[in-house]
Amino acid sequence: MSGFATHLECSRCREDFPVDQVNQVCKSDGGPLLVRYDLRRVRDSSMRDALKERPETLWRYRELLPYEDPARTVTLGEPMTPLDDAPRLGRKLGIRGFAIKDEGLLPTGTFKARGAAIGVTRAADLGIKVLALPTAGNAGAAWAAYGARAGLRVVVVMPDATPAVIVRETSAYGAETYLVPGSIADAGRAVRDACARYGWYEASTLREPYRIEGKKTMGFELAEQLGWRVPDVIVYPTGGGVGLIGMWKGFDELRAIGWIGPKVPRFVAVQAEGCAPIVKAFVDGRDESEPWPDPRTFAAGIRVPKALGDFIVLRALRESRGTAVAVSEDAIAGAMRMAGEAEGFLLCPEGAAAVAGVAKLRRDGWIADDDEVVVFNTGTGLKYGESLQGRTARHLSPGDVPSERKPDA
Ligand SMILES: *Cc1c(COP(=O)(O)O)cnc(C)c1O
């Protein structure tokens, strides 16, 4: 390993596995594996000073990333994403310090690029030639793009209700793309069976230990952009929960090397009312979620009926004194419109769900007006053409001119 990764550790029983071999889940209990690092070496390294000189991409955190050879990392030029103050939106929500971290600017238009950059780099390191994954859509597109970049064969299975652009995008990167009726859970069964039959590498969420390492860089960037500290509240649209688990893990690592203080941000998981297994488990005081029977929401990325890492998400929510909240489809659409008109942000429906979650928690008083709140907009609205808000454009006949008066809102 070029970085300081030492081993993989089961998130349930803490058993260790070698990081330089193909290991997918714990051989004893099936728990997701997490990459562990020699944090003492990282602490004693010159990484903090070196950051000043390094390009603004996720690879700047290389000591805390797993890969073998810096010359063979798979990259499409992942920029550090902006952390934008959103004062007008904040005023509408009744929050003074409100900011959006805009992941829509990454390759493939979502934060899934972070996971795919590291995941595909590791797959290539490990000599994998064919990888298959089930997806709610955006992970498939990202792994297809990075797979093409690495010259791997990629097979993607996604629900037939996935937004059309995302399906076409995945095919456009050359991935063999399949649609199934139902949800990502149904796609997962098709992939699992194919991998068992053909010996393909199964790159499903948390059956693949590396994408989470890419996603944790959202937390590294946020802490760095705030001057190596964390906000009071982080609001995250939660499907598989990998982004949230990744940030939770990333902040643990930053605390262990002494770069941020002991403060822990309150994590909020936002889901749609039509698919809210983690919210239900949180409210019911359970350690794991039950599969959601008929998952429905136009926020496709959070249409995940049962997350493999649900127990880690629930632990992170409780230990951070956070919460989980479900929002309606109308509230999601309303937040998309509000963010577009108030700030010029074209949020994806998932990011808009997070904003709608903030509105709800502010009304309840769970978020105070002086809390510093950061919402993750996990992707660009451009991938969801069917769902964009705003007034319908009007046709002008030849010779007509636009109206002098602003139409009623
Ligand atoms: C995948 C996805 C999510 C959910 O992310 P998890 O980290 O798996 O919970 C949210 N938003 C978008 C746009 C996504 O593609």
Side-chain angles (χ1 to χ4, degrees):
M1 283 285 152
S2 256
F4 293 33
T6 51
H7 61 281
L8 298 167
E9 182 188 272
C10 175
S11 52
R12 286 188 198 275
C13 69
R14 313 234 172 263
E15 188 175 341
D16 289 357
F17 297 90
V19 67
D20 54 359
Q21 294 169 12
V22 176
N23 275 299
Q24 300 220 257
V25 289
C26 176
K27 293 196 171 59
S28 304
D29 62 12
L33 302 180
L34 300 175
V35 181
R36 295 299 181 202
Y37 298 83
D38 186 341
L39 294 174
R40 188 188 303 262
R41 261 183 74 206
V42 178
R43 179 198 278 262
D44 295 342
S45 76
S46 56
M47 177 178 176
R48 180 81 173 260
D49 282 334
L51 282 182
K52 294 192 194 90
E53 325 273 284
R54 291 183 183 170
E56 295 196 343
T57 88
L58 60 80
W59 299 99
R60 64 198 271 100
Y61 308 111
R62 63 182 74 124
E63 285 84 349
L64 289 166
L65 293 173
Y67 62 94
E68 293 203 346
D69 178 353
R72 282 191 292 118
T73 53
V74 182
T75 171
L76 288 162
E78 306 70 39
M80 240 170 139
T81 61
L83 178 65
D84 293 317
D85 283 331
R88 215 173 279 121
L89 198 50
R91 260 196 305 283
K92 285 180 186 291
L93 295 166
I95 297 169
R96 270 176 274 163
F98 184 71
I100 294 205
K101 183 137 172 81
D102 192 0
E103 297 287 297
L105 280 86
L106 284 159
T108 75
T110 73
F111 80 104
K112 294 295 198 301
R114 297 180 186 271
I118 305 297
V120 173
T121 292
R122 286 300 294 144
D125 280 348
L126 292 164
I128 279 139
K129 301 281 183 258
V130 189
L131 56 87
L133 69 154
T135 171
N138 288 321
W143 283 70
Y146 285 84
R149 188 83 166 141
L152 305 182
R153 180 176 165 203
V154 179
V155 180
V156 175
V157 185
M158 54 175 87
D160 56 12
T162 305
V165 171
I166 300 173
V167 180
R168 297 280 299 274
E169 180 196 4
T170 306
S171 300
Y173 300 128
E176 295 145 62
T177 308
Y178 295 87
L179 301 176
V180 291
S183 74
I184 186 174
D186 303 283
R189 274 184 283 277
V191 167
R192 208 144 51 243
D193 290 351
C195 289
R197 197 173 300 177
Y198 310 130
W200 293 346
Y201 183 69
E202 187 183 343
S204 315
T205 298
L206 291 174
R207 282 177 194 281
E208 184 286 326
Y210 301 105
R211 71 163 82 181
I212 187 171
E213 296 303 297
K215 292 183 176 186
K216 83 181 176 189
T217 62
M218 287 191 288
F220 289 169
E221 282 183 20
L222 176 59
E224 184 172 2
Q225 286 167 321
L226 291 174
W228 298 113
R229 59 178 191 85
V230 295
D232 297 314
V233 180
I234 291 180
V235 186
Y236 186 78
T238 304
V242 183
L244 197 152
I245 300 170
M247 282 192 269
W248 174 249
K249 179 177 189 285
F251 292 143
D252 263 352
E253 290 167 357
L254 293 182
R255 268 191 300 275
I257 61 174
W259 290 17
I260 59 174
K263 176 174 166 179
V264 175
R266 285 137 67 203
F267 274 102
V268 178
V270 181
Q271 299 196 297
E273 284 174 359
C275 181
I278 289 181
V279 177
K280 182 166 192 316
F282 183 83
V283 171
D284 294 347
R286 305 182 81 96
D287 295 336
E288 274 190 41
S289 65
E290 292 293 318
W292 194 266
D294 180 21
R296 278 170 204 273
T297 171
F298 76 99
I302 53 174
R303 199 163 78 89
V304 178
K306 162 85 183 166
L308 196 64
D310 55 358
F311 69 102
I312 317 177
V313 174
L314 288 159
R315 197 194 295 158
L317 297 181
R318 295 204 171 100
E319 286 183 8
S320 73
R321 295 176 304 112
T323 191
V325 62
V327 295
S328 70
E329 301 293 284
D330 278 353
I332 297 173
M336 285 178 80
R337 180 163 186 168
M338 185 165 70
E341 295 179 357
E343 299 278 8
F345 293 151
L346 200 64
L347 303 185
C348 61
E350 298 82 355
V355 171
V358 170
K360 196 166 178 179
L361 292 172
R362 179 70 193 97
R363 279 196 303 275
D364 293 354
W366 193 90
I367 291 176
D369 66 340
D370 60 351
D371 275 333
E372 182 183 28
V373 179
V374 173
V375 162
F376 276 80
N377 177 46
T378 39
T380 169
L382 286 176
K383 301 184 82 169
Y384 299 78
E386 319 77 352
S387 310
L388 293 182
Q389 304 296 307
R391 216 175 269 116
T392 311
R394 288 185 295 167
H395 291 273
L396 288 180
S397 301
D400 284 356
V401 294
S403 158
E404 182 185 7
R405 262 181 305 141
K406 197 172 169 180
D408 297 333

